[in-house]
Amino acid sequence: MPSTSVAYVVDQLAADIQGGKLAPGTALPTHRQLAAIHGMAIASASKVYAQLKAMGMVVGETGRGTFVRDRPAQREWDSSDEARLNANTTDLSFNHPTWPGQADLLRTMLRNLAASGDLATLMRQQPPGGRRHERQIVADFLTSQRGIDADERHVFLVNGAQQGLDIVARALLEPHDKVAVDALTYPGFRMLAEHLRLHLQPIPGHPDGPDLNALENICRQHRIRAIYTMPTLQNPLGWVLSTEQRQRLVGIARQHDCLLIEDASYAFLVDPAPPALATLAPERTVYVSSLSKSLASGLRFGFVVAPDACAGRIKSAIRASYWSMPSLLTAMATRWIADGTVARQEAMLRQDAFDRQAIAREVLAGMDIITHPASMFLWMNLPEDLRMDRIATALARRGIAVSKAQAYATTRHAPHALRLGLSSLPTAQLRSVLMQVRDTIDRFPI
Ligand SMILES: Cc1ncc(COP(=O)(O)O)c(C=O)c1O
């Protein structure tokens, strides 16, 4: 057979992967087999796989071989966005923890589960909110890791923090209720409010947190049913409220009888952190978090801790919606919590986020950045004359996906800014990708 060039084989395999002919997870020929198929040297076959790996299309697993990588397009739902992800896009728009041991962790867990006794219980429906011993594991975890005195009866297992927020809003709020939120807030809550016809009242922000005087005025002028807040590592601005700010927030909520919806999705990154609102005001705080940012976003494992007075309504909202979590999944997640995997992973990611922030600070020095040294993301205000959509498009052309400020804005006008997630790509690539971001902005519109 005539020998074929490395580039030709790379193109052919890349086309088969992109075109769907080779499905995610497909085992590819060994280096030796690939070399034989194409009449090339084994070293050339290795180069083929190295290039496909660099393009993000395949993964090599030691001792097992090379597989087509599954990289779902995160933006599939948003067809208007030019930053749609494909296999070659660098994703700065999301934070998905990806770390080398993930596949092995799952493999070991599946093996252990397969070998465990009474496996048939995982084929049975769980009670709404989860099985008691699994809720207890989450409660103990929250007590030891987050300082929250959680009781198993008040813990509910949900498919990720987003569903937790949805269940809380369905259970405890009604259409047209007014909810105070940061002027720039987590887009998932904004979308949820739109679907449930909640009215968002934006709280103007200071660099270090929401303007609490403004919040007080809002509460005086409107009947605010709930305050949605991320006191530890606010998404997108990265602020961490001090104990004093938290106490004042709780004081306002008590005075105006508002529910506090505390979203702690990124809270694990700050250690030690000031007390959770769920600790300061357990009687009116619903605490929502997940393992999406620490262990795996595809696991869809989250939890809600609710005050006693709200627990019944949350349970019935769960019963009316998804009924219960998949038993197999909660078994895996709670075992990872109980055996210390999650705590270890969180500690590792704290260091990782810190290292990535240091790189970002260095590369983006002099630019208008708002962030926190422990955060997995940063907020970049663009120079006066630059529009966020044009910069996002220019970056998309260079294969870099970012989030635009308008997704976070609850006010009519969004600032021209971008949010960059720093954690979805290997640390080794971060510097060069951020340099490309900087270069694109510095030289725009060239
Ligand atoms: C602040 C915040 N809350 C909730 C979520 C949703 O998390 P999950 O993947 O657990 O649904 C996210 C995800 O990006 C987030 O940033």
Side-chain angles (χ1 to χ4, degrees), residues 18 23 51 70 74 98 183 220 241 251 279 284 328 338 349 364:
Q18 273 175 326
Q51 285 190 27
D70 186 5
Q74 294 303 332
T98 38
R220 275 199 209 106
L241 300 190
T279 302
R284 64 181 57 250
L328 180 62
L349 284 176
L364 305 175

Side-chain angles (χ1 to χ4, degrees), residues 176-245:
H176 311 297
D177 274 355
K178 292 182 176 163
V179 181
V181 296
D182 298 316
L184 291 167
T185 194
Y186 165 54
F189 193 79
R190 251 197 47 203
M191 286 182 213
L192 178 70
E194 208 174 297
H195 278 278
L196 299 182
R197 306 217 187 99
L198 302 172
H199 295 301
L200 298 185
Q201 297 286 329
I203 315 166
H206 287 313
D208 66 344
D211 179 339
L212 295 173
N213 292 332
L215 174 62
E216 197 141 35
N217 282 335
I218 292 170
C219 289
R220 275 199 209 106
Q221 284 162 20
H222 304 271
R223 173 68 191 104
I224 298 293
R225 305 292 313 203
I227 302 168
Y228 167 69
T229 178
M230 294 161 272
T232 308
L233 282 185
Q234 194 261 11
N235 182 5
L237 298 172
W239 65 52
V240 177
L241 300 190
S242 66
T243 304
E244 293 69 36
Q245 284 170 304

Side-chain angles (χ1 to χ4, degrees), residues 94-95 159-165 186-187 228 230 233-235 263-266 288-293 297 300-302 377 419:
F94 263 75
N95 283 308
N159 294 275
Q162 181 66 31
Q163 192 185 46
L165 295 171
Y186 165 54
Y228 167 69
M230 294 161 272
L233 282 185
Q234 194 261 11
N235 182 5
D263 183 337
S265 293
Y266 285 102
V288 182
S289 191
S290 74
L291 302 187
S292 295
K293 305 297 174 192
S297 56
R300 309 309 303 146
F301 182 85
F377 46 80
R419 196 205 75 150

Side-chain angles (χ1 to χ4, degrees), residues 47-119:
K47 276 188 198 156
V48 168
Y49 283 146
Q51 285 190 27
L52 288 169
K53 206 168 160 190
M55 290 159 75
M57 293 195 164
V58 303
V59 279
E61 293 191 20
T62 321
R64 297 189 69 244
T66 307
F67 299 86
V68 176
R69 188 166 171 203
D70 186 5
R71 268 189 76 165
Q74 294 303 332
R75 302 235 157 197
E76 264 167 5
W77 64 80
D78 186 0
S79 56
S80 66
D81 199 318
E82 293 191 50
R84 289 180 116 213
L85 300 190
N86 59 46
N88 300 326
T89 304
T90 303
D91 188 3
L92 299 186
S93 69
F94 263 75
N95 283 308
H96 299 288
T98 38
W99 37 283
Q102 249 171 348
D104 276 340
L105 187 73
L106 182 57
R107 202 167 285 122
T108 308
M109 174 58 77
L110 292 172
R111 241 186 261 120
N112 289 347
L113 273 178
S116 65
D118 200 17
L119 200 57

